Amino acid sequence: MRRFWCFALVVALGCGRSEEEYQLQVRRVHELREELDRERKRAKGLEESLAELERRNQDLVERLEALGHDVEALRVERTSLVVNLSEAQRALEVLREGEARERAREALYRQLLERFRAMTASGRLRLRIVRNRMVVELPDTLLFEPGEAKLKSDGKNTLLEVLKVLQTIDGCDFQVAGHTDDAPIHSRHFPSNWELSAARAVAVVRFLIENGISPGRLSAVGHADTQPADTNETPEGRARNRRIEIVFLPRFDELPTISALGQP
């Protein structure tokens, strides 16, 4: 069965590349459409198989009625066909559900691209797909002073713009993730990058809650320097690694059921 993803959002750092990144995301939408077309072809194939199984089943019923011998063998064959028919129906249902989710994801992704376009164009954030999730990525310099976890005024204003978009998204929770470069920190408040990244994520979560996002939809996590977005060998790469991500998380009602997976 197909993978199911609930897309995620990320923040742009580089100046002058935002329009190119926007076009890359548009191409991603086209790729999603092509993938959806392939799934539709699979669905059509399953429908044809289903029709053939139904025809064979009907033929078997007619043979059972016409023949007065070897009934047990025919009954076994009919049972096998019924089982195959039921399995094909379940597979087709799962495929159709996945196709509907993919259409919804594509629509949401296109919507977010447009809503965040002004912010990506100004370099205040980057929108990406990471591990099949949508991610909004914001640079640490926009939100915090170096080595601090208190939100700056400019950072709060940007978060308010992001929050307006998040409030329009239904059926999705959000995880705020703090990231650093690999330069160690030893301060009175933050003995390591773990504490710094976690404190920054919590600061963003608190701000979003204070401005209207339900606490039940939010979580915070600190990754320190364990998930770099770029190299730590250059100043530009290190700057890219110091970031806050708002990750779009799927809810469990978007996942396939145990029975759909064929598990007991």
Side-chain angles (χ1 to χ4, degrees):
M1 101 139 259
R2 291 193 39 74
R3 62 184 186 276
F4 301 98
W5 22 284
C6 201
F7 290 73
L9 299 165
V10 192
V11 182
L13 290 177
C15 295
R17 297 184 56 192
S18 54
E19 184 62 28
E20 177 184 354
E21 290 171 351
Y22 175 78
Q23 294 302 326
L24 287 174
Q25 301 303 337
V26 170
R27 285 197 292 272
R28 173 60 177 163
V29 170
H30 293 161
E31 292 173 359
L32 287 171
R33 280 184 169 174
E34 292 174 357
E35 189 171 350
L36 187 57
D37 288 340
R38 290 194 293 272
E39 293 301 326
R40 286 172 175 162
K41 290 178 181 178
R42 286 185 57 201
K44 182 178 180 181
L46 278 172
E47 288 172 343
E48 292 174 353
S49 297
L50 189 58
E52 174 61 17
L53 284 170
E54 289 174 341
R55 185 192 63 76
R56 291 176 60 190
N57 190 49
Q58 183 60 37
D59 288 345
L60 185 56
V61 170
E62 293 172 359
R63 287 171 60 194
L64 280 170
E65 293 174 349
L67 295 175
H69 59 83
D70 205 13
V71 175
E72 185 59 31
L74 289 173
R75 185 179 293 120
V76 170
E77 183 180 351
R78 182 172 185 251
T79 300
S80 176
L81 284 172
V82 169
V83 171
N84 290 338
L85 178 60
S86 177
E87 291 176 351
Q89 288 173 328
R90 286 198 299 269
L92 186 57
E93 289 172 3
V94 170
L95 186 59
R96 285 172 173 167
E97 290 172 1
E99 192 174 280
R101 283 192 292 268
E102 288 198 13
R103 286 196 298 268
R105 287 191 190 102
E106 180 185 342
L108 176 60
Y109 191 56
R110 292 174 62 87
Q111 188 180 80
L112 291 173
L113 277 173
E114 189 58 36
R115 290 183 180 179
F116 281 122
R117 186 171 189 181
M119 299 180 73
T120 56
S122 66
R124 287 178 294 164
L125 66 75
R126 179 191 296 262
L127 181 64
R128 294 194 302 152
I129 299 295
V130 181
R131 301 183 185 91
N132 292 329
R133 293 175 176 175
M134 285 179 288
V135 179
V136 173
E137 180 184 294
L138 300 112
D140 74 323
T141 53
L142 180 68
L143 303 176
F144 306 101
E145 296 292 346
E148 299 295 333
K150 181 179 179 181
L151 284 168
K152 295 161 57 176
S153 295
D154 289 346
K156 290 180 179 180
N157 292 334
T158 297
L159 285 175
L160 286 174
E161 292 184 59
V162 173
L163 180 142
K164 290 178 182 178
V165 178
L166 298 184
Q167 288 177 321
T168 67
I169 307 302
D170 296 323
C172 211
D173 295 335
F174 310 104
Q175 182 182 81
V176 179
H179 299 268
T180 69
D181 60 23
D182 63 352
I185 182 174
H186 301 288
S187 68
R188 183 165 60 92
H189 298 294
F190 308 114
S192 76
N193 281 322
W194 287 105
E195 287 80 7
L196 176 61
S197 62
R200 287 180 166 182
V202 169
V204 173
V205 164
R206 289 188 183 279
F207 181 83
L208 295 176
I209 291 173
E210 290 168 359
N211 288 277
I213 297 290
S214 170
R217 300 183 68 189
L218 293 166
S219 60
V221 62
H223 291 294
D225 63 334
T226 62
Q227 296 184 12
D230 208 329
T231 178
N232 278 304
E233 301 301 319
T234 66
E236 295 79 11
R238 298 174 71 83
R240 171 86 185 281
N241 290 333
R242 298 189 299 270
R243 67 199 190 277
I244 287 289
E245 294 181 344
I246 302 177
V247 184
F248 283 50
L249 300 178
R251 291 184 176 175
F252 285 110
D253 58 5
E254 295 183 9
L255 299 176
T257 63
I258 296 297
S259 59
L261 294 172
Q263 298 297 316

